[in-house]
Amino acid sequence: QKTSSDKKPIPSEVMKIVQKSCTKCHIAGSMGGLKFTEWDNYTPEKQAAKAKAMCDAVTGKIMPPKNFIKNNPGTVPTQADIKTICDWSASLQPAKK
């Protein structure tokens, strides 16, 4: 029996950024280790790990890739976008023991 405290859907403010900057590549059947169409199938642990990887990738300017940005300049996440992703990611991380 799953409870609402387990898996967490991507919040709308994060989804807007994802749709702008990520989903052209990160959907089922495409490139990347993260597929947003599969998000609801991920375990809570995998969701937390993927969200942390997203934060790390956008903070480190690894994602979106430079070649993609060159062809899609409107996809670059703003500093506010990056903060939103990282704040959301932090909310998914398990409590430290």
Side-chain angles (χ1 to χ4, degrees):
Q1 184 76 24
K2 291 181 180 133
T3 66
S4 61
S5 65
D6 287 344
K7 296 179 185 182
K8 305 237 181 329
I10 298 173
S12 62
E13 68 272 13
V14 174
M15 203 62 202
K16 286 178 191 161
I17 301 163
V18 165
Q19 287 170 333
K20 174 183 89 170
S21 301
C22 312
T23 56
K24 281 190 170 92
C25 298
H26 293 281
I27 56 173
S30 66
M31 65 188 75
L34 169 59
K35 295 181 179 22
F36 290 103
T37 51
E38 300 293 318
W39 184 264
D40 292 338
N41 298 325
Y42 292 159
T43 63
E45 296 79 15
K46 189 169 185 177
Q47 286 182 345
K50 294 288 186 182
K52 182 175 185 323
M54 284 173 61
C55 173
D56 293 346
V58 294
T59 301
K61 308 279 188 235
I62 297 165
M63 288 287 149
K66 287 178 180 54
N67 274 354
F68 181 78
I69 291 170
K70 192 164 53 174
N71 297 323
N72 302 275
T75 62
V76 179
T78 65
Q79 282 307 116
D81 291 344
I82 292 168
K83 181 178 182 336
T84 298
I85 289 170
C86 292
D87 288 350
W88 164 68
S89 167
S91 78
L92 296 181
Q93 301 312 309
K96 299 242 194 293
K97 294 182 178 169

